[in-house]
Amino acid sequence: MGKEKVFAFFGSKVFLLVAQAVFSALIAVGAIFYVRDTLIAYRAWKVALLLVDFILSCGAMFALAFYQKQPDIKPLWLLLPFLIGAGVFSLAFFAAQGIASSFSNETVARIVGVVVLLSFYVSCVSVQIYFRVRKDRAYVLWLTAFAAICVYALSLIFSCLLLPQEKLFKAFSSDAISFERASAEELVLTDGDRALSRAWFAERLEGEIGSGLAFDFSLGGKRFVESASEWEDATEKVLSVSGDIKLVREFTHRVEGVKARLEAYYYEETATVEWTVYLSNEGENASSVLSDVYALNAPLPIASSDLYFSGGSNEAKDDFALYRRSLPSRKKKTYVFDTADGRSSELYLPFFNLFGEGKGATIGVGWSGEWTAAFSSGKNVRVKVSQSELRGAIEKGETIRTPLVSLSLYSGGTPLKGFNNFRNDIKRGLGEGYRESSFLLFAGAAGQDDTSRANESGTHSYVEKLQELGLSDTLDYAWYDAAWYDLKGGSDWRNAVGNWTADPEKYPNGLGAVSNYLGENGVGMLLWYEPERVSKSSDLYKEIKAKNKTDEWLISVGGENCLLHMGDGEAREYIKNKIVASLKENGVAYYRQDYNIEPKAYWEKADKELYGGRKGFAENLYVTGEYAFLDALREEIPGLLIDNCASGGRRIDLETCRRSIPLWRSDYACFTDKKDLSEAAQYETYGLSFWLPYSSTANPSAANEYELRSVIGACVNCYADILFDHPEAYVSFIRDYEKVKEYFARNYYPLTPCAPRSSFVAMQFGSEEKGVIVAFDRTGKGKANAIKPNGLSLEASYKVSFVEGGEIAAKRGEDLMKKGFSVRSEKKKAYLIVYEKQG
């Protein structure tokens, strides 16, 4: 009788509903977190648990559907449909992800997996209800099918919202971060810090192959660090008077002729180590398969720590937000960071700061393509950095390379020491020429509010207006964006890319005449180009087609645009000569390079068509060629400065930052209908300044003090129509900027948290001697807002005053950092507050 009751319960509607509820919950929770836990916060045990959850739940749901059709089946025989359901689901789940990853990125592949999971789940529920309703006409059970569809939709939505930079990702990531105050003495790089970096250099770059070098790769399935006997080692080390070190090591395979060349540097000024590995084939035949190529795969002398990282540029009001995640030594945790569609900083900035228990490390990645960085906790934090995918044989005479990696170890009580040292190393790497500058956008891609001035005569009117306002000595560069070239009778500026001759209607005497005129008035010309994207409507495409080089030089995936293959030496030389000739003809001082194309699909096609299916080789040669192209421009035109755009800040990485600065860091500023452009600009300055000393943006609608001061920084951009529309505001802004511009490329201290919801934001730029505090009261409700400076000398006296005049405080550094001072306003207000050490 007991067994009969049990079987009766298993066959009841109550059991069906309970089972559906349990398995729905298991599947829904797993679906929500699957994408996040496999891509961002990876833990092997958690992913394994999710997969077991999916397979068992789907097998059980399939068996339950079969049971509704055959309720008289013996319970033991249900094991067969369970195994069939689990097997069919597993095959569909993993096959779909594999196919998706070959055509798209890993994020899309994981979402496809979730779709397969939820589709299988809803199908099982629907079949269960169908057979159950046929049996006892309980039509109300169809409501559970509707509930299953709701679970499907909500699980998929929440899973997507947990993706990097989406709403739930941001909600679970701490972006309202406060930093403790630290004295100037605590923030100075010490001899002990330099000793830490030098010791790591000696151990991980000068050590023996088998002792655990910083980099690694596999050749023919054998890891480099585990096959020392197969490689010959030749080392050259140069130590400079300043304490800098240059190290070159060449490891040659005894059989294959493959050479691994390590080029490493240690810079005493910033205690920074950086290195790149070049892999070439000097043998007579193609090498064995190269795989698992890591620029960095080594532990750091840091245990429990917080990992600071920043979002990238994605046309959002919170671009470059700083986040923090915990890496405790007592838990096994891995965070994985990568890119989106081939541009290096669309998803994340490739810069990181680890800090905990008085030790820290900053890490920079230089790769203007698909990169991956993984941080794993344990006894020491292990870091892996690589091109996201690189696998295949190296052909005879071919050379590929790893990403550039920089590392600086430091000690102390604040991660701000690491951030500021990273900024200083970016300045060191940039070299001469880049400085605090002001720009006026004389012509934009979509023109300006008054397009009648976006031409040669308009340039004269702008310069004459500057002279009238007494500001002719304050403008450094006039900015001419897209559409300066011949649009061929009204073509969209995007489809005319490749017509690198000036529009004869706008500039009847050529841009060279305009540049000469600007030069006579002490202003340089900044000019926009986009050499890598080639429109099929352009003159450049027609020229390449006439040379019968389209198949070799251009990569096409359909549509209007092709990608010029920078990895092809002939193509690169051809476009270099064209751009150099145009730069010289037009008298360009600042070369602005854009990149409005997502290259990953093009690289993948080139892998198949040009490189025999060797994955990542097109990208590797392309990115390497891009650096050679930029270097060639600077060699041909000494003193040329470079602005790195890429749809607004989407190709920011260590290599591009060694050659350029981002003057238009986010395309969010293109949305002139947005009401929060000022706050977005503040957010960008706040977030990007942790890493870079130079960057800028603009607000096309800026018309008053609050809006203009919101775009202030080491470099400032203003749309030139402000000279005519709001001249008084511009004059005041520029006069104030001239007083404080020297401070923005020095140390940076966030004085308050900053988030889109923050009502008051303050940040400080400068040294212990003097600097400026930029603060924004975003509401103007008359509330007293406290400002506590940072990085001051404890015992020194400081004078604090508004840039317009009017003393705020005169206190010891320690008192200012502990107690600070307050400001209040009855309206939205932007403050420029200068401080200076006395005596």
Side-chain angles (χ1 to χ4, degrees):
M1 186 66 180
K3 286 185 177 180
E4 292 178 359
K5 287 185 177 180
V6 171
F7 290 149
F9 174 70
F10 282 148
S12 69
K13 289 179 286 188
V14 173
F15 173 76
L16 175 62
L17 293 174
V18 170
Q20 286 179 343
V22 170
F23 290 121
S24 295
L26 289 172
I27 289 173
V29 171
I32 289 172
F33 290 102
Y34 176 67
V35 178
R36 190 201 71 156
D37 287 342
T38 52
L39 293 178
I40 306 166
Y42 178 83
R43 290 197 220 174
W45 69 267
K46 187 180 287 189
V47 173
L49 186 63
L50 288 173
L51 293 176
V52 170
D53 168 23
F54 296 161
I55 293 170
L56 294 182
S57 296
C58 286
M61 290 293 282
F62 188 85
L64 191 58
F66 190 85
Y67 182 67
Q68 298 306 311
K69 184 177 185 298
Q70 300 286 344
D72 56 345
I73 190 174
K74 292 182 178 180
L76 189 61
W77 285 101
L78 283 175
L79 185 61
L80 182 59
F82 169 83
L83 293 174
I84 292 173
V88 169
F89 162 74
S90 299
L91 179 64
F93 181 74
F94 292 111
Q97 290 184 77
I99 294 170
S101 65
S102 67
F103 288 98
S104 186
N105 57 45
E106 290 302 311
T107 301
V108 172
R110 297 300 182 270
I111 293 174
V112 167
V114 171
V115 169
V116 170
L117 168 69
L118 295 173
S119 298
F120 190 93
Y121 153 72
V122 171
S123 299
C124 288
V125 171
S126 300
V127 170
Q128 292 164 14
I129 301 304
Y130 173 76
F131 286 116
R132 186 72 201 195
V133 169
R134 284 185 62 185
K135 177 181 177 182
D136 57 15
R137 308 297 181 184
Y139 295 109
V140 70
L141 289 176
W142 280 111
L143 291 176
T144 61
F146 174 74
I149 294 172
C150 292
V151 169
Y152 179 113
L154 290 174
S155 299
L156 187 59
I157 290 170
F158 277 98
S159 179
C160 292
L161 289 176
L162 279 168
L163 290 174
Q165 305 309 309
E166 296 299 335
K167 293 186 183 300
L168 288 180
F169 171 89
K170 294 176 180 179
F172 286 116
S173 300
S174 174
D175 65 343
I177 301 172
S178 297
F179 295 91
E180 296 294 327
R181 296 310 187 258
S183 68
E185 294 77 10
E186 294 176 88
L187 293 162
V188 172
L189 203 64
T190 66
D191 290 340
D193 299 324
R194 294 182 173 90
L196 288 172
S197 293
R198 281 197 301 268
W200 197 90
F201 183 94
E203 178 184 3
R204 297 295 174 180
L205 295 173
E206 294 184 276
E208 298 298 322
I209 296 177
S211 64
L213 294 178
F215 62 94
D216 195 13
F217 57 88
S218 292
L219 186 67
K222 295 182 179 180
R223 290 182 61 195
F224 171 72
V225 296
E226 295 176 353
S227 54
S229 62
E230 298 182 17
W231 297 85
E232 294 181 3
D233 179 7
T235 301
E236 175 189 350
K237 179 178 178 181
V238 178
L239 179 64
S240 73
V241 176
S242 64
D244 293 350
I245 301 171
K246 177 181 179 181
L247 175 70
V248 177
R249 299 182 71 178
E250 290 187 343
F251 305 91
T252 304
H253 197 273
R254 299 181 189 276
V255 177
E256 297 205 33
V258 172
K259 180 177 288 185
R261 177 183 172 89
L262 167 68
E263 294 186 5
Y265 300 85
Y266 166 75
Y267 299 104
E268 181 79 358
E269 177 187 351
T270 57
T272 297
V273 179
E274 68 177 38
W275 68 95
T276 309
V277 179
Y278 298 86
L279 295 158
S280 59
N281 183 358
E282 299 181 358
E284 293 300 316
N285 302 301
S287 74
S288 299
V289 172
L290 179 76
S291 62
D292 302 319
V293 183
Y294 292 101
L296 173 60
N297 183 5
L300 302 180
I302 299 170
S304 292
S305 63
D306 287 328
L307 173 62
Y308 295 87
F309 62 97
S310 294
S313 178
N314 197 26
E315 296 181 2
K317 63 184 177 182
D318 56 356
D319 281 345
F320 308 115
L322 183 75
Y323 300 111
R324 179 176 58 200
R325 295 287 178 89
S326 174
L327 279 170
S329 60
R330 66 185 181 278
K331 293 183 180 179
K332 194 65 179 175
K333 209 182 245 191
T334 298
Y335 291 117
V336 181
F337 303 87
D338 56 14
T339 57
D341 298 316
R343 292 189 288 188
S344 53
S345 57
E346 187 166 337
L347 201 55
Y348 303 103
L349 288 176
F351 309 137
F352 305 92
N353 190 356
L354 285 161
F355 180 78
E357 299 180 350
K359 295 180 180 179
T362 55
I363 298 164
V365 179
W367 191 249
S368 305
E370 295 268 304
W371 57 268
T372 298
F375 296 80
S376 301
S377 61
K379 182 179 179 181
N380 288 309
V381 175
R382 175 171 283 273
V383 185
K384 293 183 178 181
V385 173
S386 65
Q387 180 183 338
S388 295
E389 187 171 34
L390 184 64
R391 179 182 176 84
I394 309 175
E395 296 291 343
K396 176 184 176 181
E398 196 171 49
T399 299
I400 58 173
R401 55 162 286 183
T402 68
L404 171 69
V405 177
S406 75
L407 169 70
S408 181
L409 300 172
Y410 65 95
S411 59
T414 173
L416 291 176
K417 180 176 180 178
F419 284 122
N420 279 304
N421 189 56
F422 190 93
R423 282 167 55 91
N424 289 333
D425 191 64
I426 291 293
K427 283 179 67 177
R428 177 204 58 75
L430 270 172
E432 298 296 325
Y434 295 96
R435 59 184 176 82
E436 298 75 16
S437 301
S438 64
F439 299 80
L440 277 174
L441 282 76
F442 278 17
Q448 295 198 56
D449 294 336
D450 183 357
T451 56
S452 64
R453 299 195 189 98
N455 50 42
E456 181 176 351
S457 61
T459 298
H460 286 255
S461 68
Y462 286 131
V463 173
E464 289 164 4
K465 187 65 176 180
L466 280 168
Q467 293 170 343
E468 177 189 326
L469 296 172
L471 297 177
S472 57
D473 62 335
T474 63
L475 179 63
D476 296 300
Y477 298 96
W479 180 318
Y480 296 80
D481 213 83
W484 60 267
Y485 39 84
D486 193 348
L487 298 182
K488 302 293 184 182
S491 172
D492 182 85
W493 69 268
R494 297 170 184 84
N495 295 335
V497 168
N499 298 343
W500 302 126
T501 55
D503 187 326
E505 292 186 10
K506 294 179 180 177
Y507 307 101
N509 298 304
L511 269 172
V514 176
S515 177
N516 290 336
Y517 173 74
L518 290 169
E520 292 168 1
N521 289 277
V523 180
M525 174 181 281
L526 180 149
L527 193 59
W528 181 98
Y529 292 83
E530 191 178 359
E532 295 157 273
R533 182 171 65 92
V534 181
S535 168
K536 293 179 181 178
S537 306
S538 69
D539 293 340
L540 181 59
Y541 181 85
K542 295 170 186 174
E543 292 170 13
I544 295 173
K545 187 175 182 180
K547 292 178 176 289
N548 294 317
K549 291 289 188 179
T550 52
D551 292 341
E552 299 171 45
W553 292 6
L554 299 178
I555 309 168
S556 176
V557 294
E560 174 64 25
N561 295 314
C562 299
L563 186 68
L564 184 73
H565 189 12
M566 286 294 191
D568 185 288
E570 285 188 350
R572 186 171 65 249
E573 182 69 15
Y574 182 76
I575 194 63
K576 184 264 290 185
N577 290 336
K578 286 193 73 70
I579 297 300
V580 166
S582 178
L583 292 170
K584 289 181 177 179
E585 178 185 355
N586 295 324
V588 176
Y590 226 122
Y591 167 69
R592 173 169 168 76
Q593 181 162 308
D594 213 337
Y595 192 48
N596 295 303
I597 193 168
E598 295 179 339
K600 184 179 180 181
Y602 295 83
W603 292 334
E604 290 176 340
K605 184 175 183 183
D607 280 342
K608 296 173 184 176
E609 296 185 352
L610 301 178
Y611 297 97
R614 295 179 293 156
K615 292 186 176 182
F617 273 69
E619 174 190 343
N620 195 285
L621 296 171
Y622 182 102
V623 171
T624 303
E626 171 63 18
Y627 302 148
F629 169 74
L630 293 175
D631 293 341
L633 294 187
R634 297 194 299 174
E635 290 172 7
E636 294 273 357
I637 306 176
L640 180 72
L641 302 180
I642 301 176
D643 163 30
N644 165 31
C645 184
S647 301
R650 300 188 196 195
R651 193 157 59 167
I652 297 173
D653 57 76
L654 195 61
E655 285 279 20
T656 57
C657 288
R658 290 285 185 258
R659 298 167 170 85
S660 61
I661 64 175
L663 292 175
W664 187 271
R665 61 198 180 203
S666 172
D667 267 1
Y668 191 74
C670 295
F671 301 115
T672 55
D673 59 324
K674 297 289 186 181
K675 303 300 182 184
D676 59 356
L677 290 182
S678 293
E679 288 71 30
Q682 297 164 18
Y683 204 101
E684 293 164 21
T685 301
Y686 185 99
L688 196 52
S689 294
F690 282 101
W691 311 103
L692 302 186
Y694 299 106
S695 73
S696 66
T697 188
N699 179 352
S701 306
N704 57 47
E705 181 182 87
Y706 178 84
E707 293 167 344
L708 287 166
R709 288 184 174 182
S710 292
V711 302
I712 202 167
C715 304
V716 296
N717 304 331
C718 293
Y719 278 71
D721 285 342
I722 194 173
L723 295 174
F724 294 91
D725 299 339
H726 307 283
E728 297 85 2
Y730 181 74
V731 170
S732 177
F733 170 66
I734 288 297
R735 290 303 183 200
D736 291 340
Y737 175 66
E738 288 289 309
K739 298 174 185 176
V740 300
K741 68 180 185 179
E742 66 178 287
Y743 305 128
F744 287 98
R746 298 183 186 177
N747 283 348
Y748 167 63
Y749 306 105
L751 302 183
T752 66
C754 180
R757 59 192 176 273
S758 301
S759 60
F760 184 77
V761 175
M763 46 194 126
Q764 174 185 338
F765 300 87
S767 66
E768 66 165 299
E769 299 289 333
K770 55 185 178 179
V772 62
I773 294 168
V774 186
F776 301 96
D777 186 338
R778 293 172 163 181
T779 60
K781 294 182 177 179
K783 176 185 174 183
N785 293 293
I787 297 176
K788 297 178 181 179
N790 206 346
L792 306 181
S793 294
L794 296 178
E795 298 301 324
S797 295
Y798 289 86
K799 178 183 177 182
V800 183
S801 58
F802 295 112
V803 72
E804 306 93 332
E807 185 174 311
I808 301 173
K811 296 181 179 179
R812 290 171 61 248
E814 185 176 15
D815 294 333
L816 276 172
M817 289 194 293
K818 285 184 177 180
K819 300 176 182 178
F821 55 90
S822 297
V823 293
R824 70 173 71 227
S825 176
E826 299 296 333
K827 62 178 183 178
K828 290 175 71 172
K829 177 75 174 175
Y831 300 92
L832 291 180
I833 300 168
V834 293
Y835 66 90
E836 186 169 4
K837 191 175 180 180
Q838 303 295 294

